[in-house]
């Protein structure tokens, strides 16, 4: 009985020599395998090498910002997205990509979903349709891909061309960034010059208002816009990413079943606590907001609170992931467990203070105007 599409055979490992974090060494070591993968995706020798060249030029331009322990993921994602962007709207290309990543690269469905920026269910459905469309089964498809890969003879890696292209693209990005900064700062300079000429605000009220939206912590926004499937590493080795269907987590020790949450249209915020080196890592999903949150405050268990970091998708600011920047020590967690949720003094939210004795909930989400938009349930987090 042939294997089902959800149980495709995993190919043998194709180890590459350790190359540290040097781009030239990485390009030399991985060029042949990348060309083989690109050939299986495109079925065209010239298009395959051009696809790999464009991928490595783009990676060279931002090599310093690529995590050292996750280089292969970022390179694969760049390769796949350049390929699919060129064939936008072609369902057959997406199905073929899933099969190549599954059968030839041997990647699990969860990682393929991250590469494509979709759900695991979508990957499995795509694989089933692809196998059915081919009129074959997983074993025969693996044989076909193996024979096709054996016919590929990659050329010598064009290292000098890759590095030159990376330098050009890096300089172009810096020039664009400088132009954008100049355009944004020009009106500020005009206003500042006008205020200096008129003697300034005089009473300092404007400065007080400037810090009000961030709770006196400066003007740097805790909100970060990420691409679908873009993985962000937080404290304790926890990784998080967003796709169109919700938030996802990868943690060192899994305490729960499915590490993912789907957003709701109703205002709310979830809270999860994961055991990590150094304590417990707090994070969750907020949803149902009319726009981006102004900030998310998290109780630290010692009577204080800290401003969480926030991840949102472009075009979907009403929901996203929040997370504390550092793990919470065990003694602080004990203090949180000791809270019994009592002590309401009859004032309700008291204007949305979020950490006062009147409301012992751990997470409070504020909207852009500083009003309380959502709070975590009192009992949900007690696991």
């Amino acid at each position: 009985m042939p294997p089902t599409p959800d149980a495709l055979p995993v190919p043998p490992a194709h180890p590459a020599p350790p190359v540290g974090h040097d781009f030239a060494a990485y390009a030399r070591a991985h060029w042949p395998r990348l060309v083989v993968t690109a050939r299986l995706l495109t079925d065209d020798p010239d298009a395959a090498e051009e696809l790999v060249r464009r991928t490595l030029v783009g990676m060279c331009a931002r090599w310093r910002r690529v995590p050292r322990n996750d280089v292969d993921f970022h390179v694969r994602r760049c390769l796949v997205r350049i390929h699919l962007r060129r064939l936008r709207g072609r369902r057959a290309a997406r199905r073929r990509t899933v099969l190549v990543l599954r059968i030839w690269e041997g990647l699990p469905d969860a990682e393929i979903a991250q590469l494509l920026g979709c759900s695991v269910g979508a990957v499995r459905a795509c694989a089933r349709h692809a196998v059915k469309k081919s009129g074959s089964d997983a074993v025969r498809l693996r044989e076909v891909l193996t024979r096709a890969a054996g016919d590929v003879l990659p050329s010598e890696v064009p290292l000098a061309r890759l590095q030159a292209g990376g330098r050009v693209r890096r300089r172009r990005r810096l020039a664009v960034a400088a132009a954008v900064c100049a355009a944004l700062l020009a009106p500020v300079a005009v206003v500042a010059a006008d205020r200096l000429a008129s003697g300034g605000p005089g009473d300092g009220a404007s400065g007080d208002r400037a810090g009000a939206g961030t709770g006196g912590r400066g003007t740097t926004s805790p909100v970060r816009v990420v691409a679908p499937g873009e993985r962000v590493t937080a404290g304790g080795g926890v990784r998080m990413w967003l796709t169109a269907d919700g938030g996802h987590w990868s943690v060192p020790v899994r305490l729960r079943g499915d590490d993912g949450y789907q957003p709701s249209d109703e205002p709310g915020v979830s809270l999860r606590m994961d055991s990590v080196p150094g304590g417990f890592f707090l994070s969750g999903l907020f949803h149902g907001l009319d726009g981006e949150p102004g900030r998310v405050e998290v109780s630290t268990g010692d009577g204080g609170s800290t401003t969480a970091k926030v991840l949102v998708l472009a075009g979907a600011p009403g929901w996203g992931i929040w997370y504390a920047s550092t793990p919470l020590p065990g003694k602080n967690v004990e203090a949180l467990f000791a809270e019994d949720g009592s002590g309401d003094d009859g004032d309700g939210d008291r204007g949305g203070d979020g950490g006062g004795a009147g409301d012992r909930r751990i997470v409070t989400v504020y909207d852009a105007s500083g009003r309380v938009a959502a709070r975590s349930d009192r009992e949900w987090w007690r696991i």
Side-chain angles (χ1 to χ4, degrees), residues 38-370:
R39 176 67 179 276
L40 296 179
L41 291 174
T42 62
D43 200 24
D44 184 320
D46 295 334
E49 295 209 355
E50 176 62 17
L51 174 58
V52 177
R53 187 194 68 80
R54 290 181 59 190
T55 298
L56 291 180
V57 165
M59 297 305 299
C60 180
R62 57 179 184 272
W63 190 251
R64 295 178 182 176
R65 295 186 284 119
V66 177
R68 296 191 178 191
N69 61 347
D70 212 14
V71 177
D72 289 339
F73 171 82
H74 287 269
V75 172
R76 277 197 190 101
R77 185 175 66 176
C78 185
L79 179 88
V80 166
R81 292 188 176 182
I82 290 176
H83 170 61
L84 293 179
R85 193 180 303 125
R86 183 174 62 89
L87 302 172
R88 189 181 300 275
R90 297 189 185 180
R91 189 173 301 175
R94 191 174 183 86
R95 290 175 178 173
R96 182 177 184 130
T97 298
V98 170
L99 287 184
V100 170
L101 294 175
R102 238 188 175 206
I103 299 177
W104 173 251
E105 292 287 343
L107 301 181
D109 291 338
E111 187 167 349
I112 297 174
Q114 296 166 23
L115 291 170
L116 300 180
C118 64
S119 67
V120 174
V123 170
R124 291 172 179 167
C126 192
R128 285 194 296 270
H129 287 304
V131 172
K132 183 178 180 181
K133 192 75 174 177
S134 69
S136 184
D137 56 45
V139 175
R140 293 189 182 90
L141 287 174
R142 167 130 183 89
E143 293 173 354
V144 170
L145 291 178
T146 301
R147 285 197 300 269
D151 294 336
V152 179
L153 296 175
S155 63
E156 196 72 25
V157 54
L159 185 59
R161 186 182 177 190
L162 297 177
Q163 291 175 319
R167 287 192 295 268
V168 170
R169 186 169 296 187
R170 191 182 306 119
R171 287 195 296 266
R172 188 180 303 157
R173 287 178 178 172
L174 291 174
V176 171
V180 171
C181 289
L184 292 175
L185 292 176
V188 177
V190 172
V191 172
D194 181 66
R195 288 188 176 182
L196 288 173
S198 61
D203 58 0
S206 178
D208 291 341
R209 287 193 299 271
T214 55
R217 294 177 175 82
T219 58
T220 301
S221 172
V223 180
R224 173 180 170 184
V225 180
V226 296
E230 178 179 350
R231 295 190 287 186
V232 175
T233 302
V238 178
R239 287 184 179 179
M240 294 163 289
W241 63 96
L242 293 170
T243 60
D245 60 357
H248 307 270
W249 280 257
S250 175
V251 297
V253 179
R254 180 172 296 183
L255 300 180
R256 296 166 50 82
D258 183 21
D259 284 341
Y261 298 106
Q262 292 184 337
S264 167
D265 293 334
E266 295 294 326
V269 56
S270 66
L271 168 63
R272 59 179 288 147
M273 183 166 56
D274 294 293
S275 177
V276 298
F280 295 86
F281 185 78
L282 303 185
S283 61
L285 188 79
F286 66 89
H287 47 79
L289 277 64
D290 291 333
E292 286 187 359
R295 70 184 192 279
V296 177
E297 292 290 329
V298 184
S299 175
T300 55
D302 55 4
S305 64
T306 183
T307 300
K309 296 184 178 180
V310 174
L311 306 178
V312 297
L313 286 176
W319 63 276
I321 286 177
W322 67 268
Y323 65 96
S325 57
T326 57
L328 204 63
K331 62 179 181 179
N332 293 49
V333 173
E334 292 177 5
L336 290 177
F337 272 94
E339 300 288 359
D340 60 2
S342 63
D344 288 348
D345 57 8
D347 291 336
D349 290 342
R350 298 191 304 164
D353 180 60
D359 196 327
R360 299 294 190 179
R361 283 178 274 190
I362 310 303
V363 187
T364 306
V365 183
Y366 296 88
D367 62 19
S369 66

